[in-house]
Amino acid sequence: EPEVTQTPSHQVTQMGQEVILRCVPISNHLYFYWYRQILGQKVEFLVSFYNNEISEKSEIFDDQFSVERPDGSNFTLKIRSTKLEDSAMYFCASSRELSSPLHFGNGTRLTVT
Amino acid sequence: RKEVEQDPGPFNVPEGATVAFNCTYSNSASQSFFWYRQDCRKEPKLLMSVYSSGNEDGRFTAQLNRASQYISLLIRDSKLSDSATYLCVAPSNSGYALNFGKGTSLLVTP
């Protein structure tokens, strides 16, 4: 069964550094998402992406965040200047249609020190 | 009303018990809903989709009440392996995102 893959599985970075989290969505899916989950808290929506542009973003997705689909397969989340409170599990997801369920990757655990 | 609300639990039940989780959503125009299961420190995994009044898959039954904007998940004959957090998911008010509830924690004991 096709899977969403995310790399790296764990990223440690210093406060103020830039990080790029990478995702390869399922190949015939058209909608792409990033979510985050701070340890012990709920899964929070960050951004959705369709047809090479952002469809919706949450209040969390401020100017320090950006997403890109640089080629036909990768979908990246960039955090420009990381803060301690950015430490979380970041999940990428994709879906075939807007009303379809999301398929999640295994996540990238980001630790900001 | 928050977009998706769930009773956080925890629910502690013995093996073989029947347990039900409830969820309310705010977007009355929503057409599709989902229940996901999340194990500790893992990604959410799809358990069931709910597109009409309900759905049944083995021991799991999901029901949708559009008038009350309410979704439920029923688990019959609980197994130890059912221990997890169950996440209710509904479309955002714009429809371009899926929002997760805080999750309901289930612990099935021998």
Side-chain angles (χ1 to χ4, degrees):
Chain A
E1 187 178 316
E3 290 181 341
V4 175
T5 56
Q6 287 186 245
T7 54
S9 56
H10 190 189
Q11 173 92 48
V12 181
T13 190
Q14 286 190 322
M15 198 167 53
Q17 295 296 304
E18 175 183 287
V19 293
I20 297 177
L21 309 184
R22 301 180 192 280
C23 170
V24 179
I26 294 173
S27 61
N28 64 348
H29 284 189
L30 301 178
Y31 295 84
F32 313 119
Y33 307 82
W34 284 100
Y35 286 80
R36 81 169 186 192
Q37 188 173 33
I38 295 170
L39 189 62
Q41 297 188 24
K42 66 181 281 189
V43 177
E44 298 176 293
F45 169 73
L46 292 178
V47 66
S48 59
F49 192 86
Y50 170 72
N51 200 26
N52 281 322
E53 58 183 32
I54 290 174
S55 308
E56 182 173 344
K57 58 184 181 179
S58 70
E59 290 175 356
I60 302 168
F61 195 88
D62 61 22
D63 291 345
Q64 68 164 336
F65 291 92
S66 62
V67 288
E68 196 176 29
R69 187 151 163 86
D71 51 43
S73 59
N74 291 284
F75 179 52
T76 61
L77 174 69
K78 182 191 288 187
I79 309 176
R80 254 179 283 284
S81 177
T82 49
K83 306 187 186 78
L84 294 176
E85 54 265 36
D86 293 328
S87 295
M89 182 72 96
Y90 288 79
F91 291 111
C92 174
S94 67
S95 66
R96 194 171 52 202
E97 298 170 0
L98 200 53
S99 58
S100 300
L102 304 183
H103 296 257
F104 282 85
N106 291 341
T108 293
R109 178 164 300 283
L110 177 65
T111 302
V112 183
T113 61
Chain B
R1 172 187 267 183
K2 288 184 184 170
E3 294 207 32
V4 184
E5 284 201 78
Q6 288 183 253
D7 180 348
F11 283 68
N12 291 346
V13 302
E15 258 184 303
T18 295
V19 62
F21 307 136
N22 301 321
C23 171
T24 56
Y25 61 91
S26 63
N27 183 359
S28 59
S30 298
Q31 297 293 313
S32 51
F33 306 89
F34 308 96
W35 282 101
Y36 279 75
R37 170 197 168 121
Q38 187 176 31
D39 294 286
C40 189
R41 293 178 178 256
K42 299 284 190 181
E43 76 275 19
K45 287 191 189 292
L46 179 68
L47 182 65
M48 296 184 78
S49 302
V50 189
Y51 294 110
S52 55
S53 60
N55 192 10
E56 185 171 327
D57 182 5
R59 299 183 294 110
F60 299 85
T61 301
Q63 291 196 312
L64 170 62
N65 183 321
R66 290 191 190 277
S68 303
Q69 293 179 217
Y70 167 101
I71 313 157
S72 65
L73 176 69
L74 185 78
I75 305 176
R76 287 181 295 277
D77 188 23
S78 301
K79 311 286 184 200
L80 296 177
S81 57
D82 293 334
S83 298
T85 298
Y86 291 82
L87 307 173
C88 176
V89 182
S92 65
N93 290 331
S94 75
Y96 286 102
L98 288 178
N99 286 330
F100 283 72
K102 288 185 177 180
T104 300
S105 175
L106 172 66
L107 179 63
V108 182
T109 55

